[in-house]
């Protein structure tokens, strides 16, 4: 059983400042994750041309994207358990440092095999950053503004996409090794470690739970408490989630929803550049610049979509907004891949599509954070967010085969995108309770556990 816990109203100025700095650290970390993700999408083919050869199979490109998604999911799953046990701030520090080191080493990769290993290691750090940062932001946001606060956090991913696009325009001079500069810039997040370590602080909610856990551990060790509730509270967070029937069902339904978002987004966003290129060839003198404009339109509109999604979620509720964005994504995916026949129409439909298909990702940080108590919040959130990445990784690996199977990029994107978002429409009806404006759930207080034990002993 869980109870709501009102965020402390007695925060000191130092705690408030620490929360603001924690948000800034989480935002910047997620922004660099977005940069690294889209940088890989942009340069993967150039990497293969340089390290394997110009006639290499498309599967080499798919393997780079797939290994990144796979390791991201593994790192994300681990980070939730670690953030619940050791704190959100510590996980942010370690993950950013790990990611920065491995991204910098990727720029020096001498062969394709070494690059794959480094991409796997980099992905672990990328995945780990989100769990600590998103749970920390959720726990420090005012209940009535939590949607918009987490929307701002999620929008950092889209900002990272824009930065990656702009940087690639600057460093791509047509040389075989230009792609290395994109990864060399990945060392910048190492500076975040200094910032987070010096100025950011953990949320008062997690600090309270950690104090309870320590006190209860000591009580159990001394033999003064031995109840089943105490044992439950001290189990690893992932065991607590899967042993609790309500949380287990929530993880299942939320993961199906996350799978819908991930598959749909992957099918749309990763194929937009190639699709735009196929439409623009022969219609403009500078195809690469035109494709860049299309990609920028998709991502810029997606950033607006993130923010509008969060604002609407605070205004009318989480579930109506989730449902509406899924429905709109189903309707607009065919529009993106059937209607455009010029640069102008490509930019327009990419923007409209991006507003919903990218902007809908706000719910993945917001809604799950409100369905799990503090002691397992990061675990629950990262289970939902990262379990869905495994099928997406498989999709990236077999991307070329899917295009061949369906006959064209547009057909593959429409079928897979609409199937994904269609699943989301159905799942959105059964996700869970409405949580707009509510306080975050918290675990049973240690006082209840000890008082129950004392009463039994009497």
């Amino acid at each position: 059983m869980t109870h709501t816990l009102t965020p402390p109203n007695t925060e000191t100025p130092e705690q408030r400042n620490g929360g603001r700095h924690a948000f800034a650290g989480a935002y910047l970390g997620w922004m660099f994750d977005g940069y690294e993700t889209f940088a890989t999408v942009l340069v993967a083919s150039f990497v293969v041309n340089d390290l394997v050869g110009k006639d290499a199979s498309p599967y080499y490109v798919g393997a780079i994207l797939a290994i990144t998604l796979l390791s991201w999911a593994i790192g994300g799953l681990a980070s939730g358990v670690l953030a619940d046990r050791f704190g959100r701030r510590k996980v942010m520090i370690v993950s950013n440092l790990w990611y920065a080191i491995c991204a910098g080493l990727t720029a020096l990769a001498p062969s394709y095999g070494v690059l794959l290993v480094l991409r796997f290691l980099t992905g672990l750090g990328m995945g780990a950053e989100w769990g600590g940062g998103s749970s920390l932001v959720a726990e420090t946001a005012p209940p009535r503004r939590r949607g918009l606060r987490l929307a701002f956090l999620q929008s950092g991913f889209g900002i990272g996409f824009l930065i990656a696009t702009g940087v690639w325009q600057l460093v791509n001079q047509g040389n075989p090794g230009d792609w290395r500069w994109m990864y060399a810039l990945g060392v910048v997040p190492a500076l975040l470690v200094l910032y987070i370590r010096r100025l950011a602080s953990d949320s008062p909610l997690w600090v309270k739970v950690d104090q309870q856990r320590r006190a209860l551990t000591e009580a159990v060790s001394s033999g003064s408490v031995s109840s089943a509730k105490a044992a439950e509270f001290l189990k690893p967070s992932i065991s607590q989630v899967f042993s609790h029937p309500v949380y287990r069902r929530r993880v299942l339904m939320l993961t199906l929803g996350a799978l819908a978002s991930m598959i749909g987004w992957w099918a749309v966003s990763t194929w937009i550049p190639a699709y735009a290129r196929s439409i623009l060839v022969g219609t403009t003198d500078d195809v690469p610049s035109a494709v860049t404009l299309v990609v920028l339109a998709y991502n810029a509109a997606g950033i607006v979509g993130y923010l509008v999604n969060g604002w609407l979620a605070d205004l009318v509720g989480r579930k109506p907004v989730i449902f509406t964005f899924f429905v709109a994504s189903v309707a607009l995916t065919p529009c993106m891949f059937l209607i455009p026949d010029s640069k102008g129409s490509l930019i327009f439909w990419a923007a409209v599509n991006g507003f919903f298909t990218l902007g809908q990702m706000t719910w993945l940080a917001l809604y799950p954070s409100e369905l799990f108590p503090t002691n397992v919040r990061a675990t629950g959130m990262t289970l939902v967010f990262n379990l869905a990445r495994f099928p997406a990784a498989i999709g990236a690996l077999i991307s070329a085969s899917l295009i061949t199977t369906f006959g064209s990029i547009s057909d593959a994107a429409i079928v897979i995108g609409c199937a994904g978002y269609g699943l989301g429409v159905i799942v959105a009806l059964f996700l869970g309770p409405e949580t707009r404006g509510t306080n975050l759930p918290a675990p049973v207080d240690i006082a209840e556990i000890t008082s129950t034990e004392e009463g039994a002993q009497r």
Side-chain angles (χ1 to χ4, degrees):
M1 180 178 178
T2 60
H3 306 275
T4 57
L5 179 65
T6 303
N9 295 319
T10 58
E11 286 184 306
T12 65
E14 290 78 11
Q15 287 176 323
R16 285 194 293 272
N17 287 334
R20 295 189 187 102
H21 291 301
F23 174 83
Y27 179 87
L28 291 171
W30 191 227
M31 181 188 76
F32 280 114
D33 278 5
Y35 167 86
E36 187 76 11
T37 299
F38 202 59
T40 298
V41 172
L42 290 171
V43 307
S45 61
F46 296 89
V47 171
V48 172
N49 288 343
D50 185 27
L51 298 181
V52 181
K54 295 185 181 298
D55 297 326
S57 166
Y59 285 102
Y60 283 95
V61 173
I64 295 175
L65 301 177
I67 202 72
T68 302
L69 286 170
L70 176 65
S71 61
W72 190 343
I74 294 172
L77 291 173
S79 74
V81 177
L82 295 173
D84 282 331
R85 181 64 182 85
F86 299 106
R88 288 67 165 113
R89 175 176 167 273
K90 288 181 180 178
V91 169
M92 288 170 61
I93 290 173
V94 173
S95 62
N96 275 288
L97 185 59
W98 179 282
Y99 152 68
I101 292 172
C102 294
L105 291 174
T106 301
L108 305 175
S111 66
Y112 180 80
V114 172
L115 181 131
L116 283 184
V117 172
L118 290 170
R119 293 316 300 155
F120 181 85
L121 295 174
T122 304
L124 294 177
M126 293 168 61
E129 191 282 328
W130 185 86
S134 57
S135 55
L136 178 54
V137 172
E139 290 170 355
T140 54
R144 294 184 181 277
R145 298 180 182 176
R146 193 178 299 121
L148 190 56
R149 184 76 61 87
L150 282 164
F152 270 108
L153 174 65
Q154 290 292 81
S155 72
F157 198 75
I159 294 293
F161 273 38
L162 296 181
I163 293 173
T165 303
V167 170
W168 183 234
Q169 286 292 103
L170 293 175
V171 304
N172 183 16
Q173 302 298 316
N175 302 312
D178 286 342
W179 61 269
R180 296 181 185 273
W181 289 107
M182 295 294 284
Y183 291 123
L185 290 174
V187 302
V188 174
L191 301 176
L192 266 181
V193 172
L194 300 176
Y195 172 76
I196 297 170
R197 185 172 183 178
R198 179 179 175 83
L199 297 173
S201 60
D202 257 311
S203 73
L205 290 179
W206 181 83
V207 170
K208 178 177 180 180
V209 167
D210 186 51
Q211 291 170 345
Q212 291 180 340
R213 184 187 296 111
R214 292 174 184 273
L216 193 57
T217 300
E218 184 177 339
V220 170
S221 299
S222 66
S224 59
V225 172
S226 60
S227 68
K229 284 187 177 181
E232 176 69 22
F233 191 87
L234 296 177
K235 286 196 306 186
S237 57
I238 196 165
S239 297
Q240 294 184 53
V241 169
F242 283 111
S243 63
H244 195 295
V246 174
Y247 303 152
R248 190 167 59 242
R249 179 187 180 279
R250 287 177 179 176
V251 165
L252 173 61
M253 296 305 299
L254 292 169
T255 299
L256 286 175
L259 182 62
S261 290
M262 293 290 181
I263 289 178
W265 170 80
W266 168 80
V268 172
S269 67
T270 59
W271 282 334
I272 280 179
Y275 173 71
R277 195 175 297 113
S278 68
I279 297 295
L280 292 168
V281 169
T283 66
T284 180
D285 294 331
D286 191 353
V287 173
S289 295
V291 171
T292 298
L293 288 176
V294 174
V295 173
L296 285 172
Y298 177 82
N299 289 296
I303 293 170
V304 178
Y306 279 125
L307 301 178
V308 172
N309 186 308
W311 173 71
L312 287 174
D314 283 338
L315 184 66
V316 302
R318 281 46 169 153
K319 296 181 69 177
V321 173
I322 294 171
F323 179 80
T324 299
F325 270 65
F326 271 128
V327 170
S329 296
V330 172
L332 290 169
T333 295
C335 294
M336 176 69 235
F337 291 95
L338 289 178
I339 296 177
D341 58 1
S342 65
K343 182 172 74 173
S345 59
L346 275 168
I347 291 173
F348 171 78
W349 285 109
V352 175
N353 188 282
F355 179 90
F356 289 99
T357 61
L358 188 56
Q360 72 161 264
M361 306 295 271
T362 288
W363 84 266
L364 291 169
L366 172 59
Y367 190 55
S369 74
E370 299 174 322
L371 295 179
F372 299 97
T374 307
N375 58 314
V376 297
R377 178 164 297 117
T379 299
M381 293 174 70
T382 54
L383 280 170
V384 170
F385 194 69
N386 291 286
L387 286 176
R389 291 192 178 279
F390 290 103
I394 295 173
L397 185 62
I398 63 173
S399 176
S401 296
L402 290 172
I403 294 172
T404 301
T405 299
F406 289 104
S408 67
I409 291 176
S410 57
D411 288 344
I414 291 170
V415 172
I416 298 173
C418 288
Y421 291 129
L423 172 65
V425 171
I426 298 171
V427 172
L429 300 173
F430 306 98
L431 279 178
E434 178 56 55
T435 54
R436 179 176 69 93
T438 61
N439 294 324
L440 294 177
V444 174
D445 195 277
I446 186 175
E448 295 186 31
I449 297 175
T450 55
S451 64
T452 300
E453 179 78 7
E454 290 170 357
Q457 290 176 351
R458 291 193 190 98

